[in-house]
Amino acid sequence: MKKWKGDNVFLGIVIALVVIGVVMFTSASLGILARNEDKFYNVLLSQFVFGLGGGIIALYLGLRIPYGFWRKYALYLFILGLGLTALVFTKLGSSHGGATRWVSIFGFSFQPVEFLKIGFVIYFAAWLSWLRGKLDDIRLSVIPLFAFVGISAFLLLKQPDTKSVILIVITAIGMLFVSGVPWKYLLGVMAVALVGFSILVFFKPYLMNRVQTFLNPSQNSNTSSYQLQQSLIAIGSGGMFGRGVGQSIQKFNYLPEPQGDSIFAVIGEELGFVGSVLVVCLFIAFAFRGYRIALLAPDSFTKMLVIGFITLMTAQSFMNIASITGVFPLTGVPLVFISQGGTSLLLALGMVGIILNISSNGKKSLVEK
């Protein structure tokens, strides 16, 4: 049997986050059990059988499939992600909370945007690695990026799913920064992104409401500010060490989606300040160790691929935490490895498998240092 050469520290961090996720997701889901027993078991089934069980299989496949496969089929994977995302506008699409973001086939539903985000990262990594030595040509570096993001954003904003557009843009900028593209181009992309989101906020009432809630969290406590205020109450009531696992009060009657994007508030209430800081530190360690793997990657494609995956998962996690603590407008993104989302968990573990595969083939002379 081939000797394991992957990054044990990175694997350990992921295992710690997944274990915390299993415990806290189960605890937070008790809020559903009090209202709807059937929904409770369906949520557990989706998270643990499809998300965790399927994610372990995806992690294994990511470890076993040669990383050259992802570069060879990068364009097809991106097109597949776009195609799956477009299915939400057909009869297969289903809606929840005013958004059409799910595809239902034979009673099974999933969020195709998760495939699109991964497909985008893989294809953009392949594109940037192909551009080595040509990054100063704006026609090959920046303009194609606008095309890739523009097509993705068109499909996502129609749903609407602004948060995924934000994540794709942040990830793309992170990959551009590491690629070595001239600073004037990078700053130009950031300026265009800022102007674009400002226009979106101005013309989209639901985005304007979230920004206003962020600026004035004490207003509209029964409507737009409700989730933020209840989240802050939950976190504050946890004190230093928390009420204890399973002892949250807010998850039963007050927190919207306690097992979803509000789960960090449940962590704050049950594990307290110490537990919350531990989770934040684990995500910071996840990012730093992941970027170290990228530094030691065997070639430019795998380097950009790891940068993209780590940036995508880290940005999503801190967007969630920042939203629930009032540091950033509410976004509704799940907390990676922890929040409800079978598709998200499955594909996150799949990305981890690919990263570990790349780490096992890293530059040995640097790994030993």
Side-chain angles (χ1 to χ4, degrees), residues 349-364:
L349 290 174
M351 286 187 277
V352 167
I354 296 172
I355 294 169
L356 288 171
N357 186 350
I358 293 171
S359 75
S360 67
N361 292 279
K363 301 172 183 176
K364 294 182 175 59

Side-chain angles (χ1 to χ4, degrees), residues 319-331:
M319 275 177 63
N320 174 279
I321 294 171
S323 297
I324 294 303
T325 54
V327 179
F328 191 80
L330 287 170
T331 58

Side-chain angles (χ1 to χ4, degrees), residues 105-124:
I105 301 177
F106 301 118
F108 168 76
S109 63
F110 65 95
Q111 284 190 289
V113 65
E114 302 298 336
F115 293 91
L116 174 58
K117 288 187 287 190
I118 293 178
F120 174 87
V121 170
I122 294 173
Y123 184 56
F124 194 45

